[in-house]
Structures are given as structure tokens and as C-alpha cells.
């Protein structure tokens, strides 16, 4: 064993707590996905779609993908209803999707996942928000400066400003 003598029981306990938490979290995800699929499939059925069951299953499965799954489901459900039932049905489905997504993100997920992993709903909302915020990045191309141009210094902080540069299209075309 790679553990110190007598540490086996301690780490076995940690392992059991981790696997229990992950299992309960996964069950929470499945419960939320089932609610999403049922809600959206039932809405499609009420709007007269002959594909209501399939759309509900698709919505439920895609809802398991963090951050973008519900959006992908909306991209499938709304045009399908538009093609099958018309613009009014598509707009109703869009409103249902947007309202449901807010309820899921702010009520269902914190409650269900909070109970599943035994954390406060507040901490679940904070964790989801921080996770989503950490995934957002901005990529802005900055034209490459001339080699003889000095690095600019911010006078307020007296620190050099570090800029990642990429060749501009003009420089690349001339080369």
C-alpha cells in the first residue's frame, strides 16, 4: 500500500463519502432531466405535436449537459414545433422553455442538488454561477506592434502592460 500504516480506514471513509456524493449528484441530474423532459414533452403534446414523446426524451437527455444542454434542446424543439404546428406553437414553446429554464436554474437545481449532496441551495447557486463564469472567456485579436516600439507602462501602477499579440491581417498579407 502507498498509504502510511493505519491510514487505510481513514482514506476508505473519504472514498466512500466521495462516491456517495457523486452518486447522489448523478441521481439529482437524472431527476432534473426527467422533470425537464416531462415538462417540455407535455408542452409539445398540448400544442398538438405528433413528436411530443420524442421531443420530451430529447429535451431530457440534452438537459443533462451542463450549461448548454437546455439551449440545444430549445434549438431543436422550437423549430420542430414551428415546422409542424406553426409560429404560434413555436413561440409558446419558446416562452415555456425560457420560463422553465429560469425555474430549473433558480429553484429546482438548488433544491434537488442541495438535498442530493447535502449542501445549502445558496452554495449550489454560487457554485453553478462561478463554474459558468469561469468558462466565459473573451478573445480579442490585438495587432502586432512594430519591433522598435517600446512596451507601454501604465503610469498609475508603474507596471508594464502585458499584451498578447497576433499578426494583423495586413501584416500577414504583406509577408
Amino acid at each position: 500500500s502507498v498509504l502510511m500504516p493505519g491510514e487505510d480506514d481513514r482514506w476508505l471513509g473519504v472514498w466512500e463519502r466521495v462516491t456517495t456524493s457523486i452518486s447522489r449528484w448523478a441521481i439529482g441530474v437524472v431527476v432534473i432531466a426527467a422533470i425537464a423532459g416531462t415538462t417540455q414533452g407535455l408542452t409539445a403534446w398540448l400544442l398538438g405535436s405528433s413528436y411530443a414523446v420524442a421531443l420530451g426524451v430529447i429535451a431530457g437527455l440534452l438537459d443533462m449537459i451542463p450549461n448548454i444542454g437546455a439551449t440545444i434542446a430549445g434549438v431543436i424543439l422550437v423549430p420542430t414545433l414551428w415546422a409542424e404546428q406553426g409560429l404560434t406553437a413555436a413561440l409558446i414553446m419558446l416562452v415555456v422553455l425560457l420560463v422553465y429554464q429560469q425555474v430549473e436554474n433558480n429553484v429546482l437545481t438548488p433544491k434537488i442538488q442541495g438535498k442530493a449532496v447535502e449542501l445549502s441551495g445558496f452554495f449550489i447557486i454560487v457554485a453553478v454561477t462561478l463554474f459558468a463564469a469561469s468558462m466565459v472567456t473573451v478573445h480579442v485579436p490585438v495587432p502586432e506592434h512594430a519591433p522598435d516600439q517600446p512596451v507601454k507602462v501604465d503610469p498609475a501602477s508603474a507596471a508594464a502592460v502585458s499584451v498578447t499579440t497576433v499578426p494583423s491581417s495586413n501584416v500577414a498579407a504583406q509577408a
Side-chain angles (χ1 to χ4, degrees):
S1 174
V2 296
L3 300 174
M4 298 283 290
E7 292 288 313
D8 293 347
D9 291 336
R10 178 176 159 229
W11 286 107
L12 183 60
V14 169
W15 177 255
E16 287 176 5
R17 285 194 312 266
V18 168
T19 56
T20 300
S21 292
I22 291 173
S23 298
R24 293 179 69 169
W25 169 82
I27 291 168
V29 168
V30 171
V31 168
I32 293 168
I35 294 169
T38 303
T39 301
Q40 293 163 31
L42 184 62
T43 302
W45 177 74
L46 290 172
L47 292 171
S49 175
S50 57
Y51 306 111
V53 173
L55 292 174
V57 169
I58 289 169
L61 290 174
L62 289 173
D63 196 69
M64 288 191 241
I65 301 172
N67 299 327
I68 62 168
T71 303
I72 296 170
V75 168
I76 294 170
L77 269 67
V78 172
T80 302
L81 276 166
W82 190 354
E84 186 183 16
Q85 297 296 324
L87 183 60
T88 304
L91 291 174
I92 292 170
M93 179 57 88
L94 180 62
V95 169
V96 168
L97 283 167
L98 293 173
V99 169
Y100 173 78
Q101 196 59 42
Q102 294 305 309
V103 171
E104 179 183 305
N105 290 341
N106 297 306
V107 178
L108 294 176
T109 298
K111 290 280 186 190
I112 292 171
Q113 292 295 32
K115 285 186 180 187
V117 296
E118 298 173 352
L119 283 175
S120 161
F122 171 76
F123 290 116
I124 300 294
I125 290 174
V126 169
V128 169
T129 303
L130 291 176
F131 178 74
S134 71
M135 295 184 67
V136 175
T137 59
V138 177
H139 300 280
V140 179
V142 177
E144 195 173 294
H145 66 278
D148 58 346
Q149 183 179 6
V151 174
K152 298 192 182 203
V153 175
D154 181 15
S157 65
V161 177
S162 174
V163 177
T164 303
T165 61
V166 294
S168 67
S169 59
N170 293 339
V171 173
Q174 293 172 0

